[in-house]
Amino acid sequence: AQSVTQLDSHVSVSEGTPVLLRCNYSSSYSPSLFWYVQHPNKGLQLLLKYTSAATLVKGINGFEAEFKKSETSFHLTKPSAHMSDAAEYFCVVSHSGGYNKLIFGAGTRLAVHP
Amino acid sequence: DVKVTQSSRYLVKRTGEKVFLECVQDMDHENMFWYRQDPGLGLRLIYFSYDVKMKEKGDIPEGYSVSREKKERFSLILESASTNQTSMYLCASRDRDYSPLHFGNGTRLTVT
């Protein structure tokens, strides 16, 4: 069965330090993978997407993610956290075949301290 | 940029009322979705539409119905609102399989 696991429900970093949000997936197929960010009382905004091109994907706001097939991982990173990065982050897997192949992770809440 | 607009940011309704949540997208997307988001439960799919007048049940369709009379508009209907339908409702659209979802800002519904 397909699944997505976000390994940390909460991550806390200091401003200016690196961010690592971890995501593992299981899939029998070649997936498309996405990271979304959600600020309080807002919808989800696409940060970046992997669709079988380059394994290192750059997104908005300085975020990037690396697809590692051997580790079935798609971790999100940023070299230097900013206060505005504090939000909830979702890893999502999409396979062919319609709506029922969109699988959301449970989310990771990122706190950024001054 | 794709824009997905949900007509209300906040709604307060009474138990038993009929509630309409409206969603409009401006990019001629085929697929539209309604999710609800609850603390500890993540995003759960209520209904999905892949074309005008076409719909499919998601994971939690009970107590809800949908309408898609025009390609750009997807409505979620709570026939008789109940307190357990208090939630954040998120509409999304996408062009095709493998494309990313584009979300609206959400409607926070409170049923009292």
Side-chain angles (χ1 to χ4, degrees):
Chain A
Q2 296 127 4
S3 66
V4 177
T5 303
Q6 292 185 241
L7 295 164
D8 307 290
S9 59
H10 291 83
V11 170
S12 182
V13 300
S14 298
E15 191 175 20
T17 64
V19 175
L20 170 64
L21 305 182
R22 299 181 295 166
C23 173
N24 285 112
Y25 70 93
S26 67
S27 171
S28 303
Y29 308 96
S30 295
S32 291
L33 293 154
F34 309 93
W35 275 99
Y36 286 85
V37 60
Q38 186 180 31
H39 289 93
N41 293 312
K42 294 279 192 179
L44 280 70
Q45 179 186 16
L46 180 68
L47 275 179
L48 50 80
K49 62 181 179 181
Y50 166 78
T51 54
S52 76
T55 56
L56 183 62
V57 181
K58 293 189 184 299
I60 62 171
N61 301 335
F63 284 94
E64 63 182 37
E66 186 171 9
F67 174 71
K68 292 187 176 180
K69 188 174 182 179
S70 61
E71 298 176 12
T72 60
S73 69
F74 190 58
H75 301 334
L76 182 70
T77 60
K78 183 173 180 177
S80 175
H82 192 272
M83 296 297 290
S84 61
D85 295 327
E88 188 150 22
Y89 293 78
F90 294 91
C91 182
V92 182
V93 177
S94 175
H95 305 272
S96 64
Y99 81 93
N100 57 338
K101 302 299 184 184
L102 281 164
I103 303 169
F104 284 79
T108 298
R109 186 165 297 278
L110 175 66
V112 181
H113 302 287
Chain B
D1 270 357
V2 176
K3 190 162 186 182
V4 179
T5 303
Q6 295 184 233
S7 55
S8 304
R9 291 300 309 278
Y10 300 94
L11 274 179
V12 180
K13 296 292 181 180
R14 293 194 180 275
T15 301
E17 280 192 77
K18 191 169 186 176
V19 181
F20 292 86
L21 302 183
E22 306 286 347
C23 175
V24 177
Q25 50 95 2
D26 66 357
M27 282 300 291
D28 203 37
H29 284 172
E30 300 288 336
N31 301 341
M32 296 188 75
F33 304 77
W34 275 106
Y35 290 89
R36 64 177 282 177
Q37 184 178 25
D38 301 286
L41 297 176
L43 272 79
R44 294 180 290 169
L45 181 67
I46 306 171
Y47 266 98
F48 159 69
S49 170
Y50 52 92
D51 203 349
V52 174
K53 297 189 187 295
M54 307 303 286
K55 62 186 179 185
E56 284 195 23
K57 294 179 180 179
D59 301 317
I60 52 164
E62 297 77 19
Y64 302 94
S65 62
V66 290
S67 172
R68 193 161 179 207
E69 297 295 319
K70 294 184 178 182
K71 193 174 187 179
E72 67 270 18
R73 186 179 295 270
F74 191 35
S75 303
L76 180 69
I77 303 155
L78 287 66
E79 295 290 342
S80 177
S82 64
T83 55
N84 63 11
Q85 293 178 309
T86 291
S87 186
M88 170 72 109
Y89 289 87
L90 292 166
C91 176
S93 72
R94 72 174 179 182
D95 188 21
R96 59 191 181 281
D97 283 357
Y98 290 109
S99 298
L101 293 176
H102 299 269
F103 284 87
N105 277 331
T107 296
R108 188 167 292 283
L109 173 67
T110 301
V111 183
T112 62

